[in-house]
């Protein structure tokens, strides 16, 4: 814009200023329009593509990310070629992304596009009763039922194939369950501000310090859902929107929060109240990594630190300025860490 100003010497400073502002305004409007298109595509996929598979395959994620990756400046662009080359010799390139409570495969749309751009093979799936899976949440009573899409995926893998699992929030319980039952299918397990529980512990116990005891929560919580009637035990829970915004999205972009508000679903209660049986031979021998989020109000940094101390993983990473949803609030930082972990021999 400076060149335009000085090239047109006959123009007054005022005219040049207005011209500069007009050009800047057009540029800002163009970027806003492209961002709006990106989110509209994500919304459309989540809300209207029920006839598709539960998984976001490569073509879907590529369609979501194409506009952004082509037209916006990517802070990692200068290093992307080097990263792609360094990943060429990685044996296990499949990255399976598991969402947390209330979320679905849709929440990984930025992460999927970024991982694909460096040559990895990401897959995000809806757990039972989540995302666009039509199962009634109230009928999902066990962690095995809740994790069924992941288990089916692992069962279908070729014998010589392994995957890298990434689990967010309560989705960490599904990672633990998978590590215990399919250790030979998992190259690395990455817990993203997640419930990395110990043997005999319930996923809910991890949140107990934030929400109160399980017993008190079950007796007093206004967010419980009674799918079988008030006289029967609760079957699920869902926070109201304003509380959800404060807990999960205190650093996330407004449009990602809007996407979540129209897409999140109730969480089945049974799976997070189930005690896990985890053995040293299987679960404890798996390669576990933990990513901490340091501005997290749903699972505080202190609680995450406690999880790491009590159940030490192979590596610990931290994302500054991230809320409970780094795939929204700090996608580039999350991507960089995921790629780094993938490359660990």
């Amino acid at each position: 814009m400076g060149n335009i100003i000085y090239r047109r010497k006959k123009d007054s400073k005022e005219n040049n200023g207005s011209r500069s502002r007009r050009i800047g305004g057009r540029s800002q409007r163009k970027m806003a329009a492209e961002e709006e298109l990106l989110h509209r595509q994500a919304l459309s996929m989540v809300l209207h593509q029920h006839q598709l598979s539960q998984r976001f395959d490569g073509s879907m994620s590529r369609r979501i990310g194409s506009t952004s990756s082509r037209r916006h400046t990517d802070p990692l662009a200068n290093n992307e070629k080097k990263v792609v080359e360094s990943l060429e010799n990685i044996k296990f390139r499949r990255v399976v992304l598991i969402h947390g409570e209330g979320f679905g495969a849709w929440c990984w749309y930025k992460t999927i596009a970024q991982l694909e751009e460096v040559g990895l093979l990401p897959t995000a799936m809806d757990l039972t009763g989540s995302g666009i899976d039509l199962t009634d949440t109230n009928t999902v009573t066990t962690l095995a039922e809740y994790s069924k899409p992941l288990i089916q995926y692992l069962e279908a893998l070729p014998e010589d194939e392994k995957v890298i699992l990434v689990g967010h929030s309560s989705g960490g319980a599904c990672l633990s369950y998978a590590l215990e039952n399919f250790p030979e299918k998992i190259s690395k397990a990455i817990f993203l501000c997640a419930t990395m529980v110990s043997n005999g512990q319930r996923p809910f116990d991890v949140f107990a310090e934030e929400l109160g005891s399980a017993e008190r929560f079950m007796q007093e919580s206004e967010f419980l859902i009674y799918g079988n009637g008030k006289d029967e035990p609760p079957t699920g829970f869902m926070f109201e929107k304003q509380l959800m915004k404060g807990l999960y999205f205190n650093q996330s972009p407004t449009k990602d929060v809007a996407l979540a508000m129209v897409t999140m679903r109730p969480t089945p209660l049974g799976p997070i109240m189930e005690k896990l049986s985890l053995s040293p031979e299987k679960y404890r021998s798996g390669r576990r990594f933990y990513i901490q989020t340091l501005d997290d109000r749903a699972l505080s940094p202190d609680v995450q630190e406690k999880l790491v101390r009590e159940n030490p993983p192979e590596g610990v990473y931290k994302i500054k300025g991230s809320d409970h949803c780094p795939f929204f609030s700090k996608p580039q930082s999350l991507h960089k860490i995921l790629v780094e972990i993938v490359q660990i021999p």
Side-chain angles (χ1 to χ4, degrees), residues 99-101 127-128 130 140 142-149 174 267-268 271:
H99 63 81
E101 67 283 355
L127 298 172
T128 307
S130 304
V140 183
T142 67
L143 187 57
E145 291 176 88
Y146 190 51
S147 306
K148 189 174 180 180
C174 299
T267 300

Side-chain angles (χ1 to χ4, degrees), residues 125-145:
M125 60 183 64
D126 291 316
L127 298 172
T128 307
S130 304
I132 61 173
D133 181 276
L134 298 180
T135 305
D136 182 358
T137 305
N138 297 304
T139 66
V140 183
T141 59
T142 67
L143 187 57
E145 291 176 88

Side-chain angles (χ1 to χ4, degrees), residues 225-236:
I225 298 169
Y226 294 83
N228 297 323
K230 274 286 186 178
D231 296 332
E232 298 295 328
T235 54

Side-chain angles (χ1 to χ4, degrees), residues 187-188 285-290 311-317 344-345:
S187 171
K188 301 182 181 84
S285 63
R287 302 189 67 185
R288 291 176 291 111
F289 299 82
Y290 200 97
N311 200 5
E314 181 175 331
V316 178
Y317 299 80
I344 295 175

Side-chain angles (χ1 to χ4, degrees), residues 194-215:
T195 52
M196 188 173 64
V197 298
S198 303
N199 180 46
Q201 192 177 19
R202 300 175 296 187
F204 181 84
D205 293 339
V206 175
F207 292 96
E209 294 185 29
E210 315 287 345
L211 301 175
S213 70
E215 291 71 24

Side-chain angles (χ1 to χ4, degrees), residues 253-268:
T254 302
K255 290 186 177 180
D256 285 327
V257 178
L259 170 63
M261 291 300 97
V262 299
T263 313
M264 293 185 76
R265 292 178 60 185
T267 300

